[in-house]
Amino acid sequence: MFTFVISARNEEDNVATIVRQACAAAEPGDRVLVVDSASSDATAQRAMAAGAEVLRGPRGKGAAMAMAIADSTSPWLCFLDADLVSSDVNVPAMLRHAAVSGTADHILGDYEYADVSTILSSTFTIYEPLVAEFFPEVGVLGANSLTGYRAIRRRYLGEALPTHFGVESHLNISIAVAGGTAAVCQLGVIASRFRYKPDMCREIAGSLLDLAVAHDRLHPADRPSWNSWVDGGAAAIAGVTATAGRSAALARLFAAVRRPMPPRASRIGLSTSPEPAPA
C-alpha cells in the first residue's frame, strides 16, 4: 500500500493537478493525502474537490511531511510537489511502479524543466559539493537530486525531519547512511510554478551540516567556517535571482562552485560503511 503525500502551501491554482494524478495512480488501499501547510487561500478546498484527504498542518515543508508520516501506516510513502502545472507522464504512477517493480528503498523522480532557463543553483553550488565532502556514499541521484517527487519505504522514515526545505537533503543522506538503496526514475518534462525562496539554500546546507556533525563527519568547532562557505554560495545564488541580464551573475555562480572549502581537517571520521537500518 502507498500513501501519496502532497505538502501544499498557497497552491490553490495548481494543487488539483497533482491530486488528480495521484488519485488516478492509487490502487485499492492507497491514500491520497494533502497536508495544507498553513495556507491562506483555497488550497484545502481545491484539494478536497479533486479527491484528496486533507489535513490542516503547520507551516514548513518538512513539518508537513512529518505530519503525513505520523498519520499513515503504509509501507511506502510517495511525496509529491503541489505546484505541478503539467507533465509528460502521471508522476505518482511512475514512482509507484518503480517502487513496486524494483528492490530500491528510495525512488527519486528526476526530470527536465519545461522552462529551459531553470538553474538548479542550490543543488550544484551548495548541496553537491557538501555531499561529496561529507557523505560520498550518497552517490549521484540524478540531475535533480533535491527533487520533490520521491517514494520511500516507511522503515527509513523513523527519525525526525527538519521542518523546512532542507528536508530533501536530509532524506538523501539519512537513508544512504542507514544502508538504504536508491534508484532514479525518469519523469520526462515537468512544468511547475516557480517561487523564489531566499532561505532555501541555507536550509539545505544547514540540514546537511547538522547531519555531518551528528555522524562525526564534522567537528562542531569547525562549523562556523563551513557556515561562512555556505554564505558565499548563498550570495552568488541571490545575485543570479536578482539579475535580469544574468551573464555576469552566472559567472559569479560558477566561480562560487570552484571556491576553496575549509580545511579537510574538519572531517573527523569519514566512513562510507552504511549504518544499521532503522527498525
Side-chain angles (χ1 to χ4, degrees):
M1 293 194 303
F2 272 67
T3 300
F4 295 99
V5 177
I6 303 159
S7 304
R9 174 173 169 77
N10 293 336
E11 291 291 352
E12 63 179 5
D13 292 335
N14 298 303
V15 68
T17 301
I18 191 64
V19 168
R20 292 190 187 106
Q21 284 198 6
C23 288
E27 298 187 1
D30 292 347
R31 297 174 68 194
V32 177
L33 180 61
V34 169
V35 181
D36 180 24
S37 186
S39 294
S40 58
D41 65 3
T43 293
Q45 293 89 332
R46 301 283 177 84
M48 284 188 283
E53 302 175 54
V54 175
L55 293 178
R56 300 285 186 171
R59 183 169 181 171
K61 185 174 187 180
M65 291 167 66
M67 174 176 273
I69 294 167
D71 190 74
S72 65
T73 58
S74 58
W76 282 91
L77 285 91
C78 183
F79 298 100
L80 306 164
D81 280 345
D83 61 356
L84 180 73
V85 174
S86 65
S87 61
D88 286 346
V89 298
N90 181 310
V91 171
M94 291 288 289
L95 293 171
R96 192 185 200 286
H97 176 74
V100 301
S101 63
T103 60
D105 306 299
H106 185 193
I107 310 297
L108 297 97
D110 198 11
Y111 58 93
E112 297 179 35
Y113 286 81
D115 181 355
V116 296
S117 67
T118 300
I119 302 167
L120 298 176
S121 52
S122 293
T123 299
F124 74 83
T125 306
I126 299 290
Y127 169 80
E128 290 178 349
L130 289 178
V131 164
E133 178 74 6
F134 291 108
F135 295 101
E137 66 267 46
V138 171
V140 178
L141 300 176
N144 192 10
S145 52
L146 297 178
T147 176
Y149 302 104
R150 58 183 70 215
I152 305 171
R153 291 188 197 271
R154 166 172 292 282
R155 66 174 177 265
Y156 291 95
L157 293 168
E159 65 177 63
L161 298 179
T163 60
H164 44 62
F165 286 107
V167 64
E168 281 91 4
S169 61
H170 177 96
L171 289 169
N172 290 353
I173 294 163
S174 62
I175 294 170
V177 168
T181 56
V184 175
C185 175
Q186 297 297 332
L187 301 175
V189 177
I190 285 179
S192 57
R193 181 176 65 82
F194 175 77
R195 183 187 297 172
Y196 176 55
K197 305 173 182 72
D199 294 327
M200 180 182 283
C201 64
R202 287 191 170 87
E203 291 172 353
I204 290 166
S207 294
L208 196 155
L209 293 174
D210 286 346
L211 287 170
V213 171
H215 291 283
D216 293 331
R217 312 290 177 95
L218 172 64
H219 196 286
D222 290 334
R223 179 69 179 265
S225 62
W226 288 91
N227 290 341
S228 295
W229 182 88
V230 170
D231 288 342
I237 291 169
V240 170
T241 305
T243 304
R246 295 189 297 176
S247 296
L250 285 171
R252 290 195 296 272
L253 186 63
F254 288 116
V257 176
R258 297 191 296 271
R259 68 197 187 283
M261 285 184 156
R264 281 184 170 266
S266 299
R267 298 190 303 176
I268 59 177
L270 180 58
S271 170
T272 58
S273 300
E275 298 181 9

